[in-house]
Amino acid sequence: MKSVLTIQSHVAYGYVGNRAAVFPLQRLGIDATAVNTVQFSNHTGYGAWTGQVFTAEHIADIVDGIAARGVLPAQDAVLSGYMGAVELGQVIVETAARVKAANPKAIYCCDPVMGDVGRGFFVRPGLPEFIRDHAVPAADLMTPNQFELEYLTDRKVATLDDALAATAALRARGPRLVLVTSLTRSDADPDSIEMLVDGADGAWLVSTPRLTFDPPPNGSGDAVAALFLAHYLTAFDPADALEKAAAAIFAIFETTRRMGTRELQLIAAQDEFVNPPRRFSATRLK
């Protein structure tokens, strides 16, 4: 059994952060240990919420308690998402290094949650710069959306060539593998949405039909990062993980739209994301 230490936000209601990552990991057979960077009533997309961002000292204390159980060498990966504050980010990067020291085969998957197209940045000042300057060099696998990819590489992504140039630029700064969780480009079918994975062994692109929502559900990037990581840990095959993650999130989207909610329907779609009814083939680009 594979094990993942996932350090992300938590909401009491809805599915973002660890609430969007832990169940998919577990449903796919991964033993997930969750550390919550915040506890909010609901995700911030509603415009109003209650709760707190936990202090860096609190998170470090939780990690110390986990380490005291002697389980860090058993972790196959650290997955991080919404960090909340720069000080929390420092603890997360240090924790990833700590796990990798305990298990040299472990990988650090960083989902650089900080903004999105149309919304801009939605994190505290200083976090984008911290992620760019400290989390990127520490990560083995990065899972940015298109907005985050553009910021982290200071490149505009409008075409497939742009996207490949940006992922190459990001890999040159540390990560061995980059997954772009949502790609919209001028030279693609406007009724589709794509994901791109780029690594030393090649790059692959997968396309799925674009489903419309009003409003769109939050947490899809969190879920995709977890789905991709779960499948990647089984065989370390990026193309296979890409295809399976794309089919899984599409199944979740279909169920969510059918049920007419703004929260990802992970529970209702659990059988579908484990055995998706539709499959999508990845195209090798290089």
Side-chain angles (χ1 to χ4, degrees), residues 4-11 15-25 32-40 52-54 58-59 63 78-84 88 92 108-113 143 219-227 229:
V4 170
L5 174 61
T6 173
I7 311 175
Q8 303 194 51
S9 61
H10 172 81
V11 292
Y15 295 95
V16 299
N18 267 335
R19 286 270 284 167
V22 172
F23 180 69
L25 287 168
T33 298
V35 176
N36 300 321
T37 56
V38 311
Q39 178 163 273
F40 289 166
Q52 298 178 7
V53 175
F54 294 134
H58 173 80
I59 301 304
V63 172
V78 174
L79 171 62
S80 71
Y82 180 74
M83 293 180 176
L88 276 175
I92 291 169
Y108 173 32
C109 175
C110 177
D111 182 10
V113 178
T143 62
S220 58
D222 305 326
V224 168
L227 291 164
L229 179 61

Side-chain angles (χ1 to χ4, degrees), residues 76-101:
D76 296 284
V78 174
L79 171 62
S80 71
Y82 180 74
M83 293 180 176
V86 169
E87 295 78 12
L88 276 175
Q90 292 170 336
V91 172
I92 291 169
V93 170
E94 290 167 2
T95 299
R98 192 171 176 181
V99 169
K100 292 175 68 173

Side-chain angles (χ1 to χ4, degrees), residues 179 194-197 203-208 228 237-247 279-286:
L179 168 69
E194 298 169 323
M195 292 197 294
L196 168 69
V197 66
W204 294 265
L205 183 75
V206 67
S207 175
T208 62
F228 181 87
D237 183 335
D240 179 71
L242 178 66
E243 291 180 344
K244 289 177 176 175
R279 304 280 177 164
F280 304 94
S281 297
T283 300
R284 182 160 193 155
L285 303 176
K286 63 176 184 177

Side-chain angles (χ1 to χ4, degrees), residues 41-54:
S41 57
N42 51 269
H43 67 68
T44 59
Y46 285 98
W49 68 94
T50 59
Q52 298 178 7
V53 175
F54 294 134

